[in-house]
Amino acid sequence: RASIWWRWTEPRAAASLRRLLSTKAIPPPKLFDYATVTSHIHVSDAISAVEAAFGALARGKVDVPFPMHIGIDETASAGPGDCHIKGGYVSGESTWTVKLACVSFYKNVADGLPPGGGIFVVMNAKNGAPLAVIQENRFLTDVRTGAAGGISVKYLTKPTDKTVGFIGTGAIAKSMARATAAVRPGFTGFAYGADAEMAQSFCDEMRAELGCEFTAVGSAEELCASAKVVFTQTPGSATVLERSMLQPGSTVIASGSDQPTKQELPVDLLANCKYVCDLVGQVSKVGELRSALAAGAMTEADVYAELGQVVNGDKPGREGDEIIVCDLTGTGAQDAAIGQVAWEKLSKL
């Protein structure tokens, strides 16, 4: 009987062994350095992909886990700094992405380094193989954040709103300005920041790059009096403007709050506006909505819409002279979208 059993199983065991030995190895991912990424990827490349991702997110067609945060406390050998891990998969796409972004490593400045870094890992959605490791040092994060800002301008402002202000004049502000130029060319820009020299440098750079007039102003109040569209992108926990500063029909696009310790906008503004956000479940924990919930001034039912609902036409955007706030905390859907865009462009090099 044993002989019969062996004669029956031997060919099958041998076949299984041959299949195992002949299994192809997953090829290593392609590596793309920072210089390659920044010279080939632009905000204008990302807008349509991120817009589609927002629409898919609102339809429940994106798998987006809640962001992971790692705090690096200051010791003799580390920090201070923060690490944010986000990712997602847009149903039907050929890739999915996980992003690791390190920020607020402010001691780097003394060593002549930027205050953080980061990578995107782009994966093959068909077989789970890593396609690319992209050293982007937050560049792609800024690009996809800027794309969200441009989409907000497209859907939440009037076509005649061509005065645009920027409170905070760092890398994200530049990305917002570039995206705005893509959807609203020929706008007039205003900028205000705690560092007046930095604000002027921002204006000079954006004027030369975008061909738009930019003026540095001396206060947030002056900026709001000059601009119907106001971007805020600051890293602190203090509010940067007041409701009374805004003109009727203003749109405020806030992207600075992405942790429970941050807040850019006052609660009375949030509670008395048409409030739009990227993802309710996220802004309630780390966005501007968090502070309004904590103060008892709003509930999640007071959220007018997620941006994707407006993109899909489920809710109207700008309807009149109402004040609109768009709260952008950054979603894994955006990371998945820009990861796909980056892979499609860089893999052809």
Side-chain angles (χ1 to χ4, degrees):
R1 291 179 180 177
S3 175
I4 294 173
W5 176 86
W6 177 247
R7 287 197 299 273
W8 183 81
T9 58
E10 182 184 20
R12 290 161 178 78
S16 297
L17 181 59
R18 285 195 297 271
R19 285 195 298 271
L20 180 63
L21 294 175
S22 65
T23 298
K24 296 179 181 179
I26 291 177
K30 293 186 176 182
L31 305 179
F32 298 99
D33 64 16
Y34 180 74
T36 301
V37 175
T38 56
S39 61
H40 288 87
I41 307 297
H42 309 284
V43 174
S44 56
D45 299 325
I47 291 176
S48 61
V50 172
E51 183 175 340
F54 273 124
L57 183 63
R59 295 193 301 272
K61 295 297 184 180
V62 185
D63 190 359
V64 182
F66 193 77
M68 180 178 175
H69 172 254
I70 301 173
I72 313 299
D73 61 315
E74 184 173 7
T75 65
S77 58
D82 295 282
C83 175
H84 302 275
I85 301 170
K86 296 180 180 179
Y89 173 62
V90 180
S91 179
E93 296 293 344
S94 61
T95 68
W96 55 279
T97 294
V98 175
K99 183 268 299 285
L100 185 152
C102 297
V103 299
S104 304
F105 284 80
Y106 296 118
K107 289 169 68 175
N108 286 4
V109 176
D111 297 323
L113 298 172
I119 60 170
F120 270 57
V121 180
V122 180
M123 305 291 294
N124 187 317
K126 186 174 183 179
N127 61 21
L131 294 172
V133 176
I134 303 173
Q135 182 205 18
E136 49 85 47
N137 294 346
R138 298 171 54 206
F139 174 79
L140 291 181
T141 294
D142 293 343
V143 167
R144 60 82 149 148
T145 301
I151 295 161
S152 301
V153 171
K154 177 179 177 179
Y155 286 96
L156 303 178
T157 73
K158 296 178 181 178
T160 53
D161 290 341
K162 290 201 169 188
T163 51
V164 182
F166 301 86
I167 299 178
T169 55
I172 293 178
K174 294 175 184 178
S175 191
M176 295 294 192
R178 292 170 182 133
T180 300
V183 301
R184 190 69 47 82
F187 71 88
T188 299
F190 301 88
Y192 169 70
D195 185 328
E197 184 176 339
M198 182 176 176
Q200 185 59 58
S201 177
F202 167 83
C203 289
D204 294 342
E205 181 179 346
M206 293 295 98
R207 184 186 304 112
E209 179 181 331
L210 303 178
C212 300
E213 186 57 42
F214 273 80
T215 302
V217 299
S219 67
E221 186 172 11
E222 184 180 354
L223 183 141
C224 292
S226 303
K228 291 293 289 290
V229 182
V230 178
F231 285 95
T232 65
Q233 48 277 314
T234 61
S237 58
T239 57
V240 298
L241 56 79
E242 299 298 330
R243 179 188 172 201
S244 60
M245 298 177 182
L246 298 171
Q247 304 175 50
S250 291
T251 303
V252 180
I253 302 168
S255 61
S257 183
D258 58 1
Q259 296 180 41
T261 57
K262 295 183 178 181
Q263 180 184 354
E264 292 191 298
L265 305 180
V267 168
D268 69 322
L269 169 58
L270 300 171
N272 293 278
C273 72
K274 179 186 282 186
Y275 175 86
V276 180
C277 65
D278 50 14
L279 189 60
V280 173
Q282 193 164 290
V283 296
S284 63
K285 304 294 191 303
V286 298
E288 297 296 332
L289 182 61
R290 176 198 57 78
S291 58
L293 295 176
M298 292 177 69
T299 68
E300 290 189 12
D302 294 317
V303 174
Y304 171 72
E306 291 184 347
L307 184 56
Q309 292 177 290
V310 180
V311 167
N312 291 338
D314 300 327
K315 294 279 190 74
R318 169 66 59 184
E319 296 178 277
D321 285 333
E322 75 273 30
I323 290 178
I324 297 179
V325 168
C326 187
D327 188 1
L328 302 174
T329 52
T331 70
Q334 293 161 256
D335 294 318
I338 191 61
Q340 175 96 22
V341 168
W343 170 249
E344 288 176 352
K345 292 199 74 174
L346 297 176
S347 62
K348 297 174 182 177
L349 297 179

